[in-house]
Amino acid sequence: QVFVCGDDMEAKQMVMDIVRALGLTPLDQGSLLAAQEIENYPLQLFPMWKFPILLSLGLAAFFFLYSLIRDIIYPYVYENKDYSFFIAISIPNRICPILALILLALVYLPGVLAAIIQLYRGTKYRRFPDWLDKWMLCRKQLGLVALAFASLHVLYTLIIPIRSFVRWRISSQIVSHVQNNKTVPLDNTNAWLSDSYLALGILGFFLFVLLGITSLPSVSNNVNWREFRFVQVR
């Protein structure tokens, strides 16, 4: 698309005809008052990603501080136990799925609000409020950020068996059972619950990835030349 603005309708129409002859699509942006905004478009890098990224960073900071106080500071102050190593894996692995679910909910919530507003107004031809309009325009970006956090959760979960803390805890339980001459039989109910939980998680992540892949073309259509070059060089 080529944005065109001007106060002379004949001159603007001539320019739009030239744009069409070049195989491009002209878009009338109104009078010259819009010229400054149009000229600043190439200087904006990922404009629709600003709200999703700032929101995810704010939520991540909030849940990180909450987990830090709950899992590290509180045990250290009241039980004199040092669990500071939880900052590396345990806390991020708790934050990532929470953020993924919250952001995924925020993808579908504006559609519900839009439907309620349309039902209340009795028409679908009136413009939504600005805050809802901007929210709906960045839904795909919110979904992709949620997918990124879900992918991080998968990676953190895969490395849990090789953690030193986990191996120490398992070996301590084995030694305790040997010393007490105690064996714990397999609980089929818990085994079913555990496997079902993991299977549903894998299936849910697969559907999440599939949804993200199908969203990429519509997101890439909104990427201008500077944003596309930024992605390529990275």
Side-chain angles (χ1 to χ4, degrees):
Q1 292 180 341
V2 177
F3 300 123
V4 180
C5 65
D7 295 330
D8 189 333
M9 291 302 298
E10 293 183 2
K12 186 161 57 173
Q13 187 62 43
M14 185 181 299
V15 172
M16 295 176 70
D17 291 339
I18 296 174
V19 171
R20 291 191 186 95
L22 294 174
L24 304 174
T25 303
L27 185 62
D28 190 350
Q29 291 292 97
S31 67
L32 283 176
L33 294 176
Q36 184 177 2
E37 182 181 359
I38 294 174
E39 291 171 356
N40 289 332
Y41 279 165
L43 302 178
Q44 298 178 2
L45 186 63
F46 300 116
M48 298 307 298
W49 291 83
K50 182 178 180 180
F51 173 73
I53 291 177
L54 291 179
L55 177 63
S56 60
L57 290 177
L59 290 174
F62 171 77
F63 286 112
F64 176 80
L65 290 176
Y66 173 78
S67 299
L68 184 70
I69 295 173
R70 179 179 180 270
D71 297 331
I72 298 179
I73 298 178
Y74 182 86
Y76 182 79
V77 172
Y78 291 95
E79 301 175 8
N80 198 25
K81 295 181 179 179
D82 184 10
Y83 292 132
S84 57
F85 58 90
F86 281 179
I87 296 177
I89 295 179
S90 296
I91 291 180
N93 196 32
R94 180 178 301 156
I95 294 175
C96 286
I98 294 175
L99 289 179
L101 292 175
I102 292 177
L103 293 176
L104 185 62
L106 293 177
V107 171
Y108 295 100
L109 180 59
V112 177
L113 296 177
I116 294 174
I117 291 176
Q118 288 178 341
L119 291 173
Y120 175 77
R121 291 175 174 177
T123 178
K124 64 178 181 180
Y125 297 107
R126 289 181 59 186
R127 184 178 178 87
F128 293 126
D130 289 340
W131 61 269
L132 183 58
D133 186 58
K134 293 178 181 179
W135 189 357
M136 293 186 69
L137 288 175
C138 67
R139 286 179 297 174
K140 292 182 176 63
Q141 286 80 0
L142 282 170
L144 292 177
V145 174
L147 177 59
F149 280 108
S151 301
L152 284 176
H153 175 54
V154 171
L155 294 177
Y156 276 118
T157 302
L158 288 176
I159 65 172
I160 284 178
I162 64 175
R163 292 181 61 194
S164 176
F165 172 71
V166 173
R167 289 187 281 112
W168 168 83
R169 187 170 58 185
I170 294 175
S171 62
S172 298
Q173 291 176 352
I174 295 174
V175 172
S176 176
H177 290 167
V178 171
Q179 291 177 344
N180 297 326
N181 194 21
K182 177 183 177 183
T183 58
V184 179
L186 176 64
D187 189 340
N188 287 331
T189 301
N190 287 334
W192 265 106
L193 291 174
S194 176
D195 288 359
S196 300
Y197 173 78
L198 294 174
L200 289 175
I202 294 172
L203 180 61
F205 180 70
F206 170 76
L207 295 176
F208 205 165
V209 171
L210 187 62
L211 181 64
I213 292 175
T214 56
S215 299
L216 284 175
S218 58
V219 174
S220 61
N221 289 338
N222 296 325
V223 177
N224 59 37
W225 65 270
R226 186 167 184 245
E227 296 169 350
F228 186 70
R229 186 178 64 179
F230 176 83
V231 175
Q232 281 187 318
V233 299
R234 296 301 186 273

